[in-house]
Amino acid sequence: GAVVSQHPSWVICKSGTSVKIECRSLDFQATTMFWYRQFPKQSLMLMATSNEGSKATYEQGVEKDKFLINHASLTLSTLTVTSAHPEDSSFYICSATVGSRQRTEAFFGQGTRLTVV
Amino acid sequence: GEDVEQSLFLSVREGDSSVINCTYTDSSSTYLYWYKQEPGAGLQLLTYIFSNMDMKQDQRLTVLLNKKDKHLSLRIADTQTGDSAIYFCAESNFGNEKLTFGTGTRLTIIP
């Protein structure tokens, strides 16, 4: 199957700093990528839908100024957590979709564990 | 909006069959999926089923779909220790790339 690479796998940062997470589709072009947040022992919460060349669509309750998403190319989307705080500590996962409009096939990155101290 | 529910935990003895259940509310769901997440990792697609099917088998995995009751199940035959993980069901609609995930079921294998 297609490969989605997420980087870094884990990051520790100080409160108030910004952290950028990259999501790359390695062997396919992804017009749409999704960013999820997963709290411990909970499901994935969709944060935003990232479309190449256009602004991301954020889910209700997700602060777009805090979680900046850029999808500059068909193989790369980035999520920047700005002015991070301890409550932003979480597991962030991206996915990229391929295939026809009939069936969604989503491939997931390995996730990034963010710890804000 | 769409809602997908799963029980949170399941414990099964090694060698037995595991059955993970999922219910959903969106009657326009077109495809239903099962994903596996191992600790600290992303999600791996295990299998999927189109909504006009009621069963799909893939080696040790059997998916059953009851569209009338909006109930989906994943059966893992001969459960092994490597099957320990969280299993998520998910659904999507025709022409929509967005997936809605269930709450996840943590499968624990008892030796």
Side-chain angles (χ1 to χ4, degrees), chain B residues 4-106:
Chain B
V4 183
E5 296 285 338
Q6 298 175 240
S7 51
L8 292 179
F9 303 100
L10 177 66
S11 295
V12 173
R13 291 202 177 277
E14 189 173 0
D16 288 351
S17 292
S18 307
V19 179
I20 303 170
N21 294 300
C22 172
T23 58
Y24 60 98
T25 57
D26 188 355
S27 56
S28 60
S29 295
T30 313
Y31 281 93
L32 294 123
Y33 308 80
W34 283 104
Y35 283 86
K36 178 182 180 182
Q37 183 182 34
E38 298 190 46
L43 275 69
Q44 172 197 357
L45 177 65
L46 288 177
T47 187
Y48 64 91
I49 189 168
F50 186 50
S51 59
N52 70 352
M53 298 168 63
D54 51 25
M55 188 183 93
K56 181 178 181 182
Q57 186 153 3
D58 183 2
Q59 299 182 337
R60 290 193 297 126
L61 306 179
T62 303
V63 179
L64 295 178
L65 175 60
N66 181 328
K67 196 173 179 181
K68 174 175 169 287
D69 293 340
K70 299 190 186 68
H71 182 267
L72 180 75
S73 69
L74 172 70
R75 179 176 179 271
I76 305 172
D78 187 25
T79 310
Q80 303 298 309
T81 53
D83 296 324
S84 292
I86 301 175
Y87 290 82
F88 291 94
C89 64
E91 61 91 22
S92 69
N93 297 322
F94 181 84
N96 186 345
E97 295 175 301
K98 185 171 150 181
L99 292 174
T100 301
F101 284 89
T103 46
T105 299
R106 182 178 294 275

Side-chain angles (χ1 to χ4, degrees), chain A:
Chain A
V3 177
V4 174
S5 176
Q6 204 172 323
H7 178 80
S9 298
W10 59 271
V11 58
I12 302 172
C13 72
K14 288 186 177 180
S15 221
T17 61
S18 295
V19 173
K20 181 186 282 189
I21 303 170
E22 292 186 348
C23 180
R24 290 181 187 273
S25 55
L26 296 188
D27 49 3
F28 66 98
Q29 293 183 329
T31 52
T32 305
M33 290 185 174
F34 299 87
W35 286 97
Y36 296 87
R37 183 173 179 176
Q38 186 179 31
F39 292 98
K41 299 180 181 178
Q42 292 190 27
S43 186
L44 283 74
M45 181 192 80
L46 179 64
M47 298 174 67
T49 304
S50 168
N51 293 295
E52 185 265 337
S54 64
K55 289 184 179 179
T57 303
Y58 289 82
E59 295 298 303
Q60 194 172 9
V62 178
E63 297 174 62
K64 61 182 180 183
D65 294 331
K66 180 162 187 63
F67 298 100
L68 299 178
I69 291 172
N70 183 277
H71 195 155
S73 77
L74 286 170
T75 58
L76 174 65
S77 176
T78 60
L79 167 69
T80 301
V81 182
T82 62
S83 187
H85 288 282
E87 57 265 30
D88 299 325
S89 298
S90 193
F91 194 58
Y92 293 87
I93 305 178
C94 70
S95 77
T97 54
V98 294
S100 69
R101 291 174 62 241
Q102 291 181 311
R103 181 173 73 81
T104 298
E105 180 140 17
F107 296 93
F108 286 80
Q110 71 271 36
T112 297
R113 182 160 302 285
L114 169 64
T115 304
V116 185
V117 297

